[in-house]
Amino acid sequence: TGAAWLARAAKGGDAEAQHTLGLLWQDGRGVAMNRSKAERCFRMAANAGHPDAQVVMAQVQLGLDAETEGGEPGEEYVGLGRKASEADPEAAAQWLEQAAAQGSIDAWHNLGVMYAAGVGLEASQGMAVRCWREAASLGHPYAQFCLGMRYLEGHKVVQSDRKALVWLRRSAKQGVAEAAVWAGKLCYHGTGAARANATR
């Protein structure tokens, strides 16, 4: 079976096979669902430098699941059964930094969320904006929304309705409903932070 061939490659140290096999164990595709085996595969792949697996391991350390929307630390992966009490935000940040160094847009976005909230990292709105800008430029829809809102509010950036609208429109085109709402408000009420804020 496909899982058997993946297992053989994973045992041989192939990080992509380890990551893919983790997905199969996680979702129960072709094998019986086993989240402990899934986490073991993801950890091996992450240790081997696989950026997507590193993002998964960050989510595991945060105790998050696939339904988490606010910070979107891993839209595609479940928390593999971790309890919130077992969360290790500092370890999550380390995994994300490794993945971001390889260009992972999910990692850049999630680092922005963690910097903004001061979770696992010292709170820094400036660093949050930097991370979101990296992710947004690479096409991450939620990073585009976060960056657009920062420009709208003038929070750690020079306030600009024009730039806010650019990023909010890009985010809305990728299906972020709240971005569409704010883009619509800016278009309807015209430019100017005061008018935009009046629509809150």
Side-chain angles (χ1 to χ4, degrees), residues 62-126:
L62 289 169
L64 298 170
D65 61 34
E67 300 305 317
T68 302
E69 288 282 339
E72 289 294 64
E75 302 135 279
E76 300 177 6
Y77 303 103
V78 299
L80 302 175
R82 281 291 180 92
K83 297 178 181 178
S85 60
E86 297 174 328
D88 186 345
E90 291 77 15
Q94 291 174 8
W95 283 121
L96 290 175
E97 286 168 348
Q98 291 181 52
Q102 298 186 71
S104 167
I105 63 173
D106 287 332
W108 276 117
H109 171 61
N110 298 335
L111 282 171
V113 173
M114 293 178 74
Y115 272 118
V119 174
L121 295 162
E122 183 176 351
S124 171
Q125 300 306 313

Side-chain angles (χ1 to χ4, degrees), residues 189 192-200:
H189 292 280
R195 282 193 293 278
N197 290 334
T199 66
R200 293 179 183 275

Side-chain angles (χ1 to χ4, degrees), residues 42-182:
F42 287 138
R43 187 177 298 278
M44 287 192 297
N47 284 329
H50 194 291
D52 291 340
Q54 290 168 342
V55 172
V56 176
M57 288 310 303
Q59 187 183 4
V60 169
Q61 296 295 343
L62 289 169
L64 298 170
D65 61 34
E67 300 305 317
T68 302
E69 288 282 339
E72 289 294 64
E75 302 135 279
E76 300 177 6
Y77 303 103
V78 299
L80 302 175
R82 281 291 180 92
K83 297 178 181 178
S85 60
E86 297 174 328
D88 186 345
E90 291 77 15
Q94 291 174 8
W95 283 121
L96 290 175
E97 286 168 348
Q98 291 181 52
Q102 298 186 71
S104 167
I105 63 173
D106 287 332
W108 276 117
H109 171 61
N110 298 335
L111 282 171
V113 173
M114 293 178 74
Y115 272 118
V119 174
L121 295 162
E122 183 176 351
S124 171
Q125 300 306 313
M127 284 298 295
V129 169
R130 175 178 176 270
C131 292
W132 283 329
R133 185 176 285 115
E134 288 281 352
S137 66
L138 292 169
H140 196 289
Y142 290 94
Q144 291 169 345
F145 171 70
C146 291
L147 187 59
M149 293 304 294
R150 285 298 197 269
Y151 275 115
L152 180 63
E153 298 164 350
H155 192 39
K156 290 297 179 179
V157 294
V158 176
Q159 198 282 330
S160 171
D161 284 357
R162 182 183 64 80
K163 290 182 178 179
L165 188 56
V166 166
W167 289 113
L168 290 171
R169 278 177 167 169
R170 291 181 184 179
S171 177
K173 286 179 180 179
Q174 295 198 71
V176 179
E178 195 170 358
V181 170
W182 280 104

